């Protein structure tokens, strides 16, 4: 089953994720100016998740097909690639769930305090929030530049392997990397983002069930948002994404707890471990790949803009093709008249 999933399902995730995500990134970035600042975070999370999908899902597929790791080939190119690649992947793994946390905060504001969106969810605050998260996570992952490096190990007289791993010669750092770092990664990439997102979703659900809902003052919001209808659609989409994120990361958190607890024991059977890992990857990769599909299904504005782009691109290609054919025909006529002056073809030169 694992081989079948790696070989046939993962390429489908890669294809769908790339095809559906790229147009949405541009569209949501434009929406962040005229619809809702959270569209900026939605575009960022689509970019980050596409990178994670290509790196992890793509590498798993590459291993299944070619029996070697593409990521290992990249980090083995040079000492600089080892450090930079390790830093970037770890940074993106940290950043992606925390962007979803920020989206859950915006969903909480839009659901519980809809008439405060125009001053609590602004593009300036979105830029400042993202900058703060990026700076903090950069400091957390900066240690890769001096703790990781590329070394060579001789297997025999004719074969040498290159390893990108911890090279900082300190016993404390080794203990920290082996025993403390896995728990830090688990807390900041899975458990805490899941808990924070779940808390805000719980507050939204509790308020929806117990308190009278605040109604949108549409005429007031139109003074600040150009696409109020798209705003309604985007906040529902963001809510669905947050729920999906919470479900996926609940499973991933439980899986990580089991992995940390039983990593040095043989309590769980091998088939059970493989089944849990395959399910974890399927849930995670489907979330990275298919979240873009929700925008096409639930947002009429997105479908309209994408349709306009497709139709406009087709018309531009048709006009260019028609112009090319007319130019080619004119060139052929000129060439024929020059080669055979008595052919009866006359080209008008009157202006």
């Amino acid at each position: 089953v694992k081989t079948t999933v790696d070989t046939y399902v993962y390429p489908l995730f890669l294809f769908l994720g790339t095809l559906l995500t790229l147009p949405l990134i541009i569209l949501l970035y434009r929406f962040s100016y005229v619809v809702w600042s959270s569209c900026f975070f939605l575009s960022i999370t689509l970019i980050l998740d596409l990178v994670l999908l290509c790196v992890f899902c793509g590498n798993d597929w590459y291993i299944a097909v070619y029996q070697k790791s593409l990521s290992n080939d990249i980090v083995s190119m040079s000492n600089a690639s080892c450090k930079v690649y390790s830093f970037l992947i770890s940074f993106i793994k940290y950043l992606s769930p925390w962007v979803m946390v920020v989206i859950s905060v915006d969903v909480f504001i839009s659901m519980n305090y809809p008439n405060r969106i125009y001053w609590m969810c602004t593009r300036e605050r979105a830029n400042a929030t993202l900058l703060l998260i990026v700076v903090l996570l950069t400091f957390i992952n900066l240690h890769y530049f001096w703790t990781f490096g590329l070394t060579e190990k001789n297997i025999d007289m004719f074969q040498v392997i290159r390893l990108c791993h911890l090279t900082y010669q300190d016993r404390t750092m080794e203990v920290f990397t082996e025993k403390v770092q896995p728990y830090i990664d688990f807390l900041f990439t899975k458990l805490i983002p899941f808990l924070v997102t779940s808390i805000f979703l719980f507050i939204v659900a509790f308020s929806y069930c117990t308190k009278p809902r605040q109604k949108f003052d549409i005429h007031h919001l139109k003074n600040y948002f150009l696409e109020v209808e798209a705003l309604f659609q985007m906040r529902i989409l963001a809510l669905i994404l947050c729920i999906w994120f919470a479900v996926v990361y609940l499973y991933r958190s439980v899986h990580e707890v089991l992995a940390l607890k039983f990593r040095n024991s043989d309590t769980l059977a091998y088939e059970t471990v493989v089944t849990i890992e395959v399910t974890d990857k399927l849930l995670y990769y489907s979330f990275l790949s298919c979240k873009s599909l929700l925008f096409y299904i639930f947002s009429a504005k997105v479908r309209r803009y994408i349709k306009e782009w497709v139709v406009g691109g087709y018309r531009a290609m048709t006009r260019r093709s028609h112009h090319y054919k007319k130019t080619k025909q004119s060139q052929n006529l000129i060439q024929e008249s020059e080669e055979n002056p008595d052919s009866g073809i006359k080209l008008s030169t009157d202006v």
Side-chain angles (χ1 to χ4, degrees), residues 26 63 122 126 182 283:
I26 301 173
I63 291 173
T122 63
L283 286 174

Side-chain angles (χ1 to χ4, degrees), residues 104-214:
S104 69
V105 175
D106 282 358
V107 168
F108 163 74
I109 295 172
S110 66
M111 291 293 181
N112 287 37
Y113 308 100
N115 295 317
R116 300 182 186 180
I117 297 178
Y118 70 94
W119 66 271
M120 295 185 72
C121 301
T122 63
R123 182 59 191 273
E124 292 75 15
R125 292 193 177 191
N127 292 336
T129 303
L130 182 63
L131 179 61
L132 176 62
I133 296 174
V134 167
V135 170
L136 292 176
L137 296 183
T138 299
F139 277 109
I140 292 176
N141 294 281
L142 205 58
H143 66 90
Y144 282 98
F145 287 102
W146 65 81
T147 58
F148 269 59
L150 190 67
T151 59
E152 294 184 351
K153 182 179 180 180
N154 295 322
I155 298 179
D156 50 39
M157 294 179 60
F158 305 100
Q159 190 174 6
V160 178
I161 61 173
R162 312 182 81 183
L163 300 175
C164 178
H165 61 106
L166 180 70
T167 57
Y168 192 78
Q169 300 298 325
D170 184 56
R171 180 59 183 169
T172 304
M173 180 58 70
E174 292 181 6
V175 174
F176 176 83
T177 304
E178 293 177 1
K179 297 186 177 181
V180 179
Q181 188 68 42
Y183 291 94
I184 294 177
D185 291 341
F186 166 61
L187 288 175
F188 286 96
T189 62
K190 295 182 180 69
L191 185 60
I192 296 178
F194 160 71
L195 291 177
V196 175
T197 303
S198 300
I199 289 171
F200 280 108
L201 289 176
F202 175 78
I203 295 173
V204 170
F206 182 78
S207 301
Y208 184 84
C209 296
T210 59
K211 297 180 181 179
R213 286 179 290 171
Q214 295 187 27

Side-chain angles (χ1 to χ4, degrees), residues 37 57 94 128 240:
S37 64
C57 182
Y94 272 77
I240 296 173

Side-chain angles (χ1 to χ4, degrees), residues 53 59 120 134-135 144 162 193 198 208 225 234 274 279 281 317 334 347:
L53 182 71
N59 191 61
M120 295 185 72
V134 167
V135 170
Y144 282 98
R162 312 182 81 183
S198 300
Y208 184 84
F225 301 101
M234 287 298 110
V274 172
T279 306
K281 289 184 177 182
M317 293 177 62
I334 293 173
L347 300 177

Side-chain angles (χ1 to χ4, degrees), residues 29 33 60 67 83-84 90 101 133 139 182 184 208 237 241 246 265 291 294 303 308-309 312-314 339-340 343:
Y29 183 79
Y33 288 99
D60 288 342
Q67 284 74 49
K83 295 176 181 291
V84 173
S90 179
V101 170
I133 296 174
F139 277 109
I184 294 177
Y208 184 84
L237 279 169
L241 281 180
S265 68
K291 66 164 61 175
L294 295 178
R303 293 196 300 270
E308 290 177 355
W309 287 359
Y314 175 77
E339 292 177 353
N340 188 8
S343 62

